[in-house]
Amino acid sequence: MKVLIPHEEIVDICKTIGNQLTKKFAGKNPIVSCVLKGAAPFHSELMKHLDMQIEADYIQVKSYVGTQSTGKINIKKDLDFDIAGRDVIIVEDIVDTGTTLSCLKTELEKRNPNSLTFVALLDKPSRRKIEFEADFVGKVIEDLFVVGFGLDYNEQYRNLKDIYILEN
Ligand code: 5GP
């Protein structure tokens, strides 16, 4: 497999986004929620670079698109926190078709948070089927299937510290 993003670059991305979030949420106490399982390493690294009081949370979802373009979401593990009135940062590994985060956004907006901010380590805009733009993106990549640093292929490779292009 070929390295696409070495670990050092991932850490740099986390520092940059961490600094931007620290400025954006100065004086606030956001809930920083990881979308399991893929975003777990990114969420852990990113939190090290958040210089403010935060609360960590975790959510696991499965999205499926029906006849409507909005799609529906199946929450396998919900947030522990009540997010009403809170500032919420959602941390995801990659935005591909846009289905997962656009469905999650619709679902979480119903809970009346004060604000919702979406952070994605990677973005593949050329693959979009549902319009969705994250507020913070680590790196835009081409239409490639990548693994490592949380990203899996059949649950394998999540443990790798770099991000690789999976070649057949
Ligand atoms: P979306 O709902 O935006 O189509 O897809 C988001 C999910 O698809 C991601 O959270 C991730 O689990 C999976 N995914 C999309 N592209 C890739 C990829 O290149 N590699 C891996 N490992 N997972 C991907």
Side-chain angles (χ1 to χ4, degrees), residues 47-140:
M47 285 198 299
K48 296 181 201 169
H49 307 286
L50 296 178
D51 189 10
M52 59 184 154
Q53 286 203 326
I54 60 133
E55 281 154 333
D57 208 344
Y58 300 84
I59 188 167
Q60 190 169 13
V61 297
K62 200 170 163 44
S63 64
Y64 51 96
V65 185
T67 47
Q68 293 171 353
S69 63
T70 46
K72 283 186 179 173
I73 203 153
N74 170 19
I75 298 180
K76 293 172 80 180
K77 186 243 168 267
D78 208 339
L79 296 170
D80 290 335
F81 288 102
D82 175 2
I83 63 169
R86 299 292 306 271
D87 295 300
V88 182
I89 302 171
I90 300 293
V91 181
E92 174 64 305
D93 51 5
I94 186 164
V95 189
D96 186 32
T97 64
T99 312
T100 306
L101 290 187
S102 85
C103 293
L104 187 57
K105 187 175 180 185
T106 304
E107 173 59 35
L108 295 180
E109 275 171 349
K110 292 181 199 157
R111 303 182 188 185
N112 300 316
N114 183 52
S115 69
L116 270 180
T117 300
F118 289 86
V119 180
L121 175 59
L122 301 175
D123 188 5
K124 292 198 275 194
S126 64
R127 293 258 311 158
R128 214 62 104 247
K129 285 188 185 145
I130 294 180
E131 198 181 316
F132 182 85
E133 219 178 307
D135 302 285
F136 296 87
V137 170
K139 189 162 178 149
V140 172

Side-chain angles (χ1 to χ4, degrees), residues 35-39 63 92-102 122 124 127-129 141-148 150-154 156 158 164:
V35 183
L36 294 169
K37 301 175 188 173
S63 64
E92 174 64 305
D93 51 5
I94 186 164
V95 189
D96 186 32
T97 64
T99 312
T100 306
L101 290 187
S102 85
L122 301 175
K124 292 198 275 194
R127 293 258 311 158
R128 214 62 104 247
K129 285 188 185 145
I141 63 168
E142 291 170 42
D143 182 9
L144 301 164
F145 194 83
V146 291
V147 295
L151 290 148
D152 75 311
Y153 176 67
N154 287 343
Q156 298 292 307
R158 292 194 196 277
Y164 295 80

Side-chain angles (χ1 to χ4, degrees), residues 9-28:
E9 188 180 339
I10 300 171
V11 174
D12 281 347
I13 288 170
C14 293
K15 279 183 194 162
T16 303
I17 298 179
N19 289 338
Q20 290 168 338
L21 290 171
T22 299
K23 280 195 192 117
K24 176 168 174 168
F25 291 95
K28 296 189 174 159

